[in-house]
Amino acid sequence: MSEIFVDSTFNTNKHGYELYCVLTEYDLVSLPLSYLLLDTRGIREEGKRGVRLTAWFTALRDAGLDPKVVHTDKDFAEVTAASLAFKRNIPAYKHHLCLWHSLRAIDQHITGKTNSNGAHSVENAWNSIRKGALLEYLHFLSDESEWILSNESGKKLCTREQAAKLRAMVKRHLLRHQLLPKVANDCVEHPRALFCETCEEIHAGSIREMLDYCRSIGQPKVFRYFWINWYRPEHAHVGSRWEIASMCGRRGSDAIIPRKSLANPLKGLRFSFY
C-alpha cells in the first residue's frame, strides 16, 4: 500500500469517543485498513492525542504498512504522528492535505472567519522571498517584494466573488500534474496543441497566476497568506513550523506512466480525488 488516507470524526457518538480510520484505494474502491477509538478527555498530558496517534501509526508500520504518501486534513497531531511513524524508513515520504479540508481552511481565512497568527506576516514572507532563499525558477518573486510586503490592503477582506475565484484557482492548481497536458494557443496559424509541463513550470506558473490576481484586487496580504502557508517549496521552514508540502506540481507517489505510450494522454483515464 503506497498511499493511504486518514480521517476522523469528532463529537458524533454519545460516548464522546473520536473515531479514526486509515483507508487505502485499490481499483477505485476504498478499503478500510484500521480503526481507532480514542478518548483523551480525562488525560492531562501535553500532546496526548499526538502520542497515541503516533503509537497507532507505529503499530501499523510494524505490521508492514509503509506508505509513501499519506493524506490527512489540516490536523497537525495527525500530520506529525504520521511523519514520525512512517517518514524515517521512507526517504520519498510525502504528506498531502485532502482537497476538501484544504479549500475549507482557505475559505475560512480569506473571508475573515479565522485569523491564524503569522499566516500572512511580512517577516515570514520577507525571509522566504529573498533571492538567496528561493529556488532559481522562483527568482521572479524577489523582484515583486516591494508590493508583496506592502500594506496596501490593510484590514480589507476579500469579497464573496473574489473568494470564489481564489478557491477555484487553488483547486485548479492543486489538480495540475505533469502527466496532464495543457492546451496552448500560440498563434492563429496553428490549431490548439497539447503540451506537458514540468513540476517546476507548473509550480512557477501557479504562483505567478496567484500573484497577478492578488495584485489585480489589491490584496498583497492574501498573496502572503497563500505563499507562506500553501505555495512555498516543501523544503522551506520558518523557525520550528512544519511546512505544508508544495501544492503545485507535486510528484506524489513513485508510479510512472510512460508519456509517449499514450496516443491520447487523457483517453480512458479515470480520476478520483479525496
Side-chain angles (χ1 to χ4, degrees):
M1 302 299 179
S2 62
E3 191 168 5
I4 63 171
F5 305 85
V6 182
D7 205 355
S8 63
T9 64
F10 176 74
N11 199 28
T12 58
N13 67 76
K14 63 182 180 181
H15 300 292
Y17 284 87
E18 297 175 68
L19 172 63
Y20 292 83
C21 182
V22 171
L23 303 99
T24 191
E25 186 179 278
Y26 180 76
D27 197 20
L28 300 179
V29 176
S30 296
L31 303 173
L33 300 179
S34 178
Y35 292 98
L36 171 71
L37 283 170
L38 181 62
D39 183 7
T40 57
R41 289 172 296 177
I43 301 174
R44 296 184 178 181
E45 175 186 318
E46 185 177 353
K48 55 188 179 181
R49 288 177 59 250
V51 169
R52 284 150 185 84
L53 290 174
T54 302
W56 178 43
F57 290 141
T58 301
L60 292 173
R61 182 198 67 201
D62 294 343
L65 186 65
D66 57 348
K68 296 181 177 63
V69 182
V70 176
H71 300 261
T72 69
D73 61 15
K74 199 176 180 181
D75 182 330
F76 283 94
E78 294 179 27
V79 171
T80 303
S83 298
L84 289 173
F86 300 122
K87 188 174 183 178
R88 66 178 184 179
N89 294 333
I90 307 172
Y93 175 87
K94 299 285 185 182
H95 199 106
H96 292 160
L97 301 184
C98 86
L99 177 59
W100 187 89
H101 285 99
S102 298
L103 294 177
R104 181 172 180 269
I106 287 169
D107 183 72
Q108 289 180 328
H109 183 87
I110 62 179
T111 57
K113 296 176 184 175
T114 60
N115 185 22
S116 304
N117 292 331
H120 47 69
S121 74
V122 171
E123 181 182 358
N124 285 349
W126 163 241
N127 288 334
S128 59
I129 64 172
R130 293 179 293 107
K131 186 167 287 188
L134 290 167
L135 296 171
E136 185 176 354
Y137 69 90
L138 296 177
H139 279 181
F140 67 88
L141 282 175
S142 65
D143 299 330
E144 305 283 352
S145 59
E146 183 177 352
W147 181 82
I148 293 172
L149 301 175
S150 70
N151 194 35
E152 177 182 327
S153 52
K155 296 183 179 181
K156 180 177 67 174
L157 298 176
C158 291
T159 66
R160 293 178 61 182
E161 292 75 18
Q162 291 169 349
K165 287 184 178 180
L166 286 165
R167 288 195 304 270
M169 187 184 302
V170 170
K171 183 176 180 179
R172 180 160 37 79
H173 292 168
L174 179 62
L175 299 182
R176 291 175 69 183
H177 193 279
Q178 64 268 26
L179 290 176
L180 300 178
K182 185 178 180 181
V183 178
N185 286 311
D186 292 330
C187 56
V188 177
E189 291 79 10
H190 295 282
R192 289 189 176 189
L194 298 179
F195 69 98
C196 293
E197 297 177 296
T198 65
C199 295
E200 291 75 17
E201 288 171 335
I202 292 173
H203 191 199
S206 299
I207 293 173
R208 171 65 75 179
E209 184 180 12
M210 178 61 70
L211 177 65
D212 290 344
Y213 182 70
C214 288
R215 183 188 286 276
S216 73
I217 61 174
Q219 283 283 8
K221 179 177 66 176
V222 170
F223 178 78
R224 291 198 299 269
Y225 163 73
F226 280 110
W227 167 251
I228 292 169
N229 294 277
W230 301 97
Y231 282 76
R232 276 197 297 182
E234 61 190 73
H235 70 273
H237 293 270
V238 175
S240 60
R241 276 190 75 232
W242 175 85
E243 287 303 317
I244 300 168
S246 171
M247 295 178 67
C248 312
R250 67 195 193 282
R251 290 177 172 82
S253 67
D254 293 334
I256 296 174
I257 303 174
R259 194 177 298 159
K260 64 182 180 181
S261 69
L262 299 175
N264 179 348
L266 299 180
K267 185 177 181 180
L269 294 183
R270 297 175 64 190
F271 304 93
S272 61
F273 299 101
Y274 170 60

